[in-house]
Amino acid sequence: MPIRATRVLAALLLLCLVAAVRPAWAVQPSIVVHKLIIDMTVRPDGTSTITEYREQSPSSMAAAAQIGQYAIGFNPSLQRLDILEAYTQKRDGTRVPVDLSQVRTQQAPGVPNVPIFRDMQQKIAVFPDLAAGDREVIGYREETDKPLFPGQFFWNINFNRAVAWEEVAITIVAPASYPLQVENFGVDFARTEQDGMVRYAWRYRATDVVAEDLAVVSAWDRLPRMYVSSFPDYAAMAAAYARLADPKVAVTPRIQARADEITAGIADRRGQARAIYEWVSARIRYVALYLGAGGVEPHEAESVLANGYGDCKDHTVLFEALLKAKGIEARTVLVNLDNAYTLSGPPTMAQLNHAISYLPEFDLFADTTSGVAAFGTLPFQEYGKPAVMVGVDGEAVRRLPVLAPGAATISTRTEAHMQLDGAIMGTTVTEATGPAAIALRLTARWVQTAGHEPAARRQLVALGQQGTGVFVFPPPDSFGQSFFVTGQFKLDPQPEILDGDSFAPPLGLQLLVRPGDYLLGPLNRPTLPETEATPCYSGRQSEDLSLEVPEGRVPQRLPKDRRIETPFFTYTARWTAEGQVVRVRRELVTTIDQPLCTGELRREAAAALADIRRDLRAKVVLAGP
């Protein structure tokens, strides 16, 4: 898969001893928040007034550039936002005001530029002459006139450990007749009641920051954090979502006609559901707007059908309306599409940012937004997650199933031969099934966009090789359980191999990940502590590499075979030499039955990944003629 930078944090410099011994993990903060004061007044109808005052300093010009444009997101269809004050306070105490008349409202980044998605906006205050050590001061008021869910209030915050927090004070005042549930992790909390009003107060301070080495799971799973909600439980939240969404799943004449057209000639009910799923996946463009960011109320199914695009909640509304037209029941499921594996105790939208569907008749979950997933197959990151089921009696929180053994496979085969000048030519076939096939199809789409030959050159460079190549594959925009991509390549001459330099059989145009990576956690993160939980999955990965060397050349010595075996996974590597051909086969088989590797399983996985990294570096040296 093309290498992408995802959620990468800047490395921070270790502090020396200053006046007293500081923790070994303490680092110099890039940002110091001197004050964060948030006061909220919540009314019995769920509307609220929130005022925030913040003073913060950058420790470098790079940090000043990072925070010098302060963006405040809001939804103008639900809220009013006013910046009350904003200025740069220089080290000598001089104030350089922000020209509030120049603050403009604009569409938030990542919000699609299409007519029905204009509700998530932001105001940006640009702080003049902000330098390292100066203070950026801003105060603003947010009036919520229309809660996301009628009559309900919820709020949450987490505290980045790479930031120094000197003083944080958060208060909520609400009527005693409007009780709020709270949950706190690493934050001081106090509750007082007087004259029919309840004051909820939190304080936080953490001046020694921590280098986290790019933790894998969400901030909502691990950082100091707090949650507040007026919902008594997730069943109440699910019912509130149903009240917003159910009217949108209307079977109009146009919806009925489209459902009949899609299923024409298909008598089998599962076949009808599959046909509708594939039609929505292929025909309705997915516009990624996270649930909750721009509201939780979907558009009418007929509107989504007419527009031809929609976000996740719009996808579910149209999919479920078309199913309903054929008498097939479906329920919306709210889940996390990123790397959060918990739900807050008080019901909030902190970890719920995506909507998919559950078809109880077939006991099957379906996500139409990937556009290429086989019916009943989900992307990797949705398996095993806690989710909120809409439209069910009793407990609404359910856990999506983990991947079944053997459901996800990746196999790569590279066969290459070396010419007398050291150039290497060959072919790579990458084949995948289940959720891995989704990733491979999306990669093939990337190749189509980038161009087959330019994409091949970029992938060779990403794999540490120089040369040219081309990808060949069938159309990726289909829904089979498996998919394959062929890559033909020619690497630049490497005569040093013939002169005795060590080498490994080339990866060629291998796609996706190598054995060990992803299923057991990130392979390329050797400093990630074994105490850090990582997502992990059941599946199988195999890699077959072979290189035919010129006549008269033979390997002096093959690397050692390797076998790692635990109750949940087995990794093997086997080297052979037959005539002029050197081969290595690597395979990982996992039967992990939980969504996260934690505790002893994580320790075993971390140790295995260290051994696998060493194995992947194994090389061969040729003997001369």
Side-chain angles (χ1 to χ4, degrees):
M1 178 178 288
I3 294 179
R4 300 174 181 173
T6 56
R7 302 178 178 87
V8 177
L9 302 176
L12 300 173
L13 298 175
L14 289 175
L15 285 175
C16 298
L17 292 176
V18 180
V21 177
R22 303 192 66 180
W25 59 87
V27 297
Q28 177 66 41
S30 59
I31 299 169
V32 177
V33 177
H34 304 288
K35 284 187 178 181
L36 175 59
I37 311 298
I38 302 175
D39 293 312
M40 293 174 258
T41 300
V42 180
R43 293 174 281 275
D45 59 356
T47 62
S48 62
T49 300
I50 301 176
T51 60
E52 177 171 324
Y53 175 83
R54 180 186 292 253
E55 293 182 13
Q56 58 187 15
S57 296
S59 60
S60 66
M61 289 307 297
Q66 176 188 348
I67 68 172
Q69 295 188 76
Y70 193 89
I72 310 168
F74 71 107
N75 187 330
S77 64
L78 307 177
Q79 300 163 322
R80 289 173 286 128
L81 178 69
D82 294 303
I83 298 179
L84 306 176
E85 60 177 330
Y87 57 88
T88 300
Q89 181 172 302
K90 304 296 292 181
R91 289 188 179 187
D92 63 3
T94 304
R95 293 186 179 185
V96 185
V98 173
D99 186 353
L100 296 183
S101 68
Q102 297 301 310
V103 173
R104 295 288 185 262
T105 299
Q106 63 185 48
Q107 198 167 16
V111 176
N113 187 25
V114 292
I116 65 172
F117 295 105
R118 297 282 174 82
D119 50 355
M120 193 58 194
Q121 299 183 5
Q122 63 182 6
K123 289 187 177 182
I124 297 179
V126 180
F127 286 82
D129 195 22
L130 182 67
D134 293 343
R135 289 201 181 196
E136 172 182 286
V137 180
I138 187 168
Y140 62 89
R141 180 176 58 243
E142 176 184 281
E143 293 279 1
T144 298
D145 302 314
K146 182 182 177 182
L148 278 175
F149 293 101
Q152 302 293 338
F153 173 85
F154 51 86
W155 196 83
N156 43 264
I157 190 173
N158 64 59
F159 298 97
N160 188 339
R161 291 190 295 184
V163 171
W165 305 87
E166 292 184 344
E167 180 186 355
V168 177
I170 300 170
T171 61
I172 297 178
V173 176
S177 58
Y178 189 79
L180 298 177
Q181 295 190 69
V182 301
E183 185 176 39
N184 316 291
F185 295 90
V187 182
D188 294 333
F189 171 68
R191 179 188 184 279
T192 58
E193 184 174 345
Q194 185 176 359
D195 299 329
M197 302 297 290
V198 178
R199 183 177 185 270
Y200 307 83
W202 294 263
R203 288 194 172 274
Y204 180 71
R205 175 181 169 85
T207 55
D208 286 334
V209 303
V210 178
E212 293 193 276
D213 190 34
L214 309 179
V216 179
V217 298
S218 167
W220 296 113
D221 289 354
R222 57 187 172 78
L223 292 186
R225 58 200 184 275
M226 51 167 282
Y227 307 95
V228 183
S229 179
S230 63
F231 280 116
D233 51 39
Y234 279 100
M237 174 182 275
Y241 184 87
R243 285 192 290 273
L244 294 176
D246 286 356
K248 309 304 173 69
V249 188
V251 181
T252 63
R254 186 173 180 182
I255 291 289
Q256 186 67 61
R258 179 63 70 184
D260 292 341
E261 177 187 324
I262 294 169
T263 60
I266 304 174
D268 174 63
R269 289 173 61 79
R270 185 185 178 99
Q272 290 179 345
R274 176 176 176 173
I276 292 171
Y277 165 84
E278 293 181 354
W279 190 92
V280 174
S281 295
R283 302 295 185 90
I284 304 301
R285 180 163 60 94
Y286 172 49
V287 179
L289 183 64
Y290 272 175
L291 192 72
V296 295
E297 185 172 351
H299 297 88
E300 293 85 357
E302 185 163 314
S303 171
V304 180
L305 178 63
N307 288 321
Y309 59 80
D311 63 11
C312 61
K313 57 187 182 289
D314 296 328
H315 264 248
T316 60
V317 159
L318 177 57
F319 179 45
E320 292 167 17
L322 291 168
L323 290 172
K324 186 177 180 181
K326 305 307 296 184
I328 300 172
E329 182 186 359
R331 300 167 183 166
T332 299
V333 179
L334 308 180
V335 70
N336 182 268
L337 190 60
D338 298 318
N339 55 351
Y341 285 81
T342 63
L343 290 180
S344 58
T348 72
M349 300 297 291
Q351 298 102 329
L352 298 172
N353 59 15
H354 192 54
I356 63 175
S357 297
Y358 174 65
L359 284 61
E361 182 175 341
F362 315 114
D363 191 23
L364 178 148
F365 292 88
D367 185 346
T368 60
T369 62
S370 74
V372 294
F375 185 49
T377 297
L378 301 175
F380 273 109
Q381 63 269 30
E382 292 177 17
Y383 285 96
K385 293 279 187 71
V388 176
M389 187 85 72
V390 177
V392 296
D393 295 327
E395 179 59 50
V397 176
R398 310 288 175 87
R399 187 169 290 277
L400 299 186
V402 296
L403 264 172
T409 68
I410 301 172
S411 67
T412 61
R413 300 184 305 279
T414 297
E415 296 183 356
H417 67 274
M418 180 180 291
Q419 299 176 330
L420 292 175
D421 65 350
I424 298 175
M425 302 178 65
T427 300
T428 302
V429 178
T430 302
E431 187 169 2
T433 66
I438 300 175
L440 189 57
R441 289 179 188 275
L442 294 177
T443 301
R445 281 185 171 182
W446 166 77
V447 170
Q448 289 178 324
T449 301
H452 288 234
E453 293 184 13
R457 286 195 297 270
R458 288 169 62 179
Q459 187 65 7
L460 288 172
V461 171
L463 294 173
Q465 305 167 119
Q466 296 291 330
T468 59
V470 64
F471 286 111
V472 180
F473 47 79
D477 302 317
S478 56
F479 303 95
Q481 279 286 352
S482 63
F483 188 68
F484 71 92
V485 174
T486 300
Q488 299 169 344
F489 62 90
K490 181 177 182 180
L491 304 184
D492 294 347
Q494 302 173 64
E496 63 274 13
I497 292 178
L498 299 175
D499 293 337
D501 279 9
S502 61
F503 70 97
L507 300 176
L509 281 172
Q510 184 176 123
L511 296 172
L512 301 183
V513 295
R514 302 189 70 184
D517 199 5
Y518 200 74
L519 294 186
L520 288 183
L523 182 65
N524 61 346
R525 299 275 297 283
T527 59
L528 186 69
E530 65 177 17
T531 54
E532 285 285 347
T534 65
C536 49
Y537 306 94
S538 176
R540 178 174 59 81
Q541 300 166 318
S542 65
E543 173 183 271
D544 290 276
L545 309 176
S546 70
L547 178 64
E548 182 182 12
V549 299
E551 285 287 338
R553 306 281 183 167
V554 294
Q556 291 183 356
R557 178 174 56 84
L558 293 177
K560 292 182 179 180
D561 293 344
R562 193 176 294 268
R563 183 177 181 85
I564 306 167
E565 188 169 6
T566 77
F568 288 101
F569 57 86
T570 302
Y571 175 86
T572 57
R574 185 170 183 270
W575 291 80
T576 59
E578 300 175 5
Q580 304 304 119
V581 179
V582 178
R583 300 182 187 275
V584 59
R585 174 176 174 79
R586 298 182 173 99
E587 183 176 56
L588 172 73
V589 177
T590 65
T591 56
I592 296 171
D593 59 359
Q594 58 195 63
L596 287 176
C597 283
T598 59
E600 182 60 26
L601 177 56
R602 167 61 186 148
R603 286 189 286 274
E604 292 175 347
L609 288 171
D611 283 345
I612 291 170
R613 282 191 290 269
R614 286 191 290 271
D615 180 64
L616 296 179
R617 293 193 296 266
K619 295 186 176 181
V620 179
V621 175
L622 294 179

